[in-house]
Amino acid sequence: ESWRRLRETLPQWTLIGTPGHEHIAVWQGQDLDVSHRHHSHLACIYPFDSLRNPSTQDQAIVERSLRRWLEIGMSDWSEWGLSWAAIIQARSGYREAPYLMLKLVKDLFINTSLATVYVPQFAGFSEHVIDQLSLPIEEREVMQLDGTMGLATALYEMLVHTHAGVTRFFPAVPQAWRDVSFQGVHLPGPAVASGQISDGRVTSISLQSVAGGSFTIDVPGYSSMHLLRDGRWQSVTLPVTVTLRAGESVTGKM
């Protein structure tokens, strides 16, 4: 009963701003007015993925919310906060910015032992717990598994993810990555995805259904592809929806 009531009464989000210019608030009446390592007010993008079939008005609200978030800035973002931001950006259509976030993690929060740490490695960019930078190294270099796992998750999300019911291949791969491939990435559905980029162009993608179901596939930047299914190639417009049996897979070539 409690879960049913929550589903029926919980609003999609809490907004702030004048009509037609609203953006997502932290909570009722509270705007995002300071930089913070938690991006929970944007959890409808990630990790909850609760915006299904957003209207044009909803999309405008999200875009204004992202701009407000970036306007407030990154001065108090932690290593996992930067990784979380990269995921939100990858799911929001930003292609280059997520890569910049990961480079910031590498330069600011990865030590000489290649571990993610909570305190920045140097001053001048992030103010997050910067006072602890003066502590002896054995006291300040506390590894956080949140940062390591967040970084790995952000990398996966840049390569492939399912968001708002659409499985997107290479949604946030920067131009600097000319040759990229991945295999066996597990996605909701459940499904398993693989893909390859050669010399800056997507050459192939594949999706295998584990239990059977319907999947919508997209490759941002491409309007069509050749789809192999049941031994036959056909030209399809992207995004394309396919229904697969348990264990069945499709392969696409651009």
Side-chain angles (χ1 to χ4, degrees):
E1 174 62 26
S2 296
W3 282 109
R4 183 190 62 79
R5 187 168 64 252
L6 184 64
R7 178 182 292 275
E8 292 176 352
T9 60
L10 186 68
Q12 177 168 269
W13 46 34
T14 298
L15 301 179
I16 197 165
T18 59
H21 301 277
E22 306 98 325
H23 55 271
I24 302 172
V26 177
W27 57 75
Q28 186 69 42
Q30 176 60 59
D31 199 356
L32 177 68
D33 55 12
V34 295
S35 177
H36 201 281
R37 64 193 181 278
H38 293 276
H39 315 308
S40 302
H41 69 299
L42 299 176
C44 59
I45 303 172
Y46 183 86
F48 296 152
D49 188 21
S50 57
L51 290 178
R52 300 301 177 97
N53 301 313
S55 65
T56 301
Q57 182 180 7
D58 290 342
Q59 292 172 349
I61 289 171
V62 169
E63 182 60 32
R64 288 193 294 269
S65 302
L66 292 172
R67 294 183 68 176
R68 174 66 178 178
W69 174 57
L70 295 174
E71 177 186 24
I72 296 300
M74 298 178 280
S75 63
D76 201 35
W77 292 6
S78 62
E79 82 288 17
W80 50 262
L82 285 164
S83 298
W84 187 355
I87 296 171
I88 290 172
Q89 290 181 331
R91 291 194 168 201
S92 301
Y94 294 82
R95 294 192 66 89
E96 297 290 336
Y99 179 42
L100 175 60
M101 295 297 166
L102 298 196
K103 288 195 289 186
L104 289 172
V105 174
K106 176 180 179 294
D107 291 343
L108 274 171
F109 292 104
I110 293 183
N111 66 11
T112 55
S113 299
L114 301 181
T116 58
V117 291
Y118 194 54
V119 181
Q121 296 290 285
F122 55 84
F125 181 86
S126 174
E127 286 298 305
H128 176 66
V129 295
I130 199 64
D131 292 343
Q132 297 184 32
L133 188 58
S134 60
L135 296 174
I137 192 170
E138 63 271 15
E139 294 183 31
R140 76 169 186 269
E141 285 214 334
V142 178
M143 189 194 81
Q144 277 212 325
L145 202 56
D146 304 39
T148 303
M149 300 307 293
L151 188 60
T153 302
L155 181 59
Y156 277 120
E157 289 275 335
M158 292 165 64
L159 296 173
V160 64
H161 64 240
T162 298
H163 176 57
V166 179
T167 297
R168 297 181 175 90
F169 287 81
F170 301 112
V173 171
Q175 291 186 5
W177 293 1
R178 305 299 296 171
D179 298 287
V180 184
S181 65
F182 66 90
Q183 293 182 337
V185 174
H186 288 254
L187 297 170
V192 181
S194 301
Q196 182 173 353
I197 289 178
S198 297
D199 195 24
R201 288 190 58 81
V202 177
T203 55
S204 66
I205 61 129
S206 70
L207 186 73
Q208 181 182 39
S209 172
V210 175
S214 182
F215 301 86
T216 299
I217 299 170
D218 197 13
V219 185
Y222 295 82
S223 59
S224 64
M225 71 176 178
H226 297 290
L227 190 71
L228 175 64
R229 185 177 181 187
D230 295 330
R232 297 176 56 189
W233 288 98
Q234 57 179 313
S235 180
V236 297
T237 300
L238 293 173
V240 60
T241 299
V242 295
T243 300
L244 302 176
R245 301 180 297 273
E248 185 182 9
S249 63
V250 289
T251 299
K253 292 187 179 296
M254 317 311 291

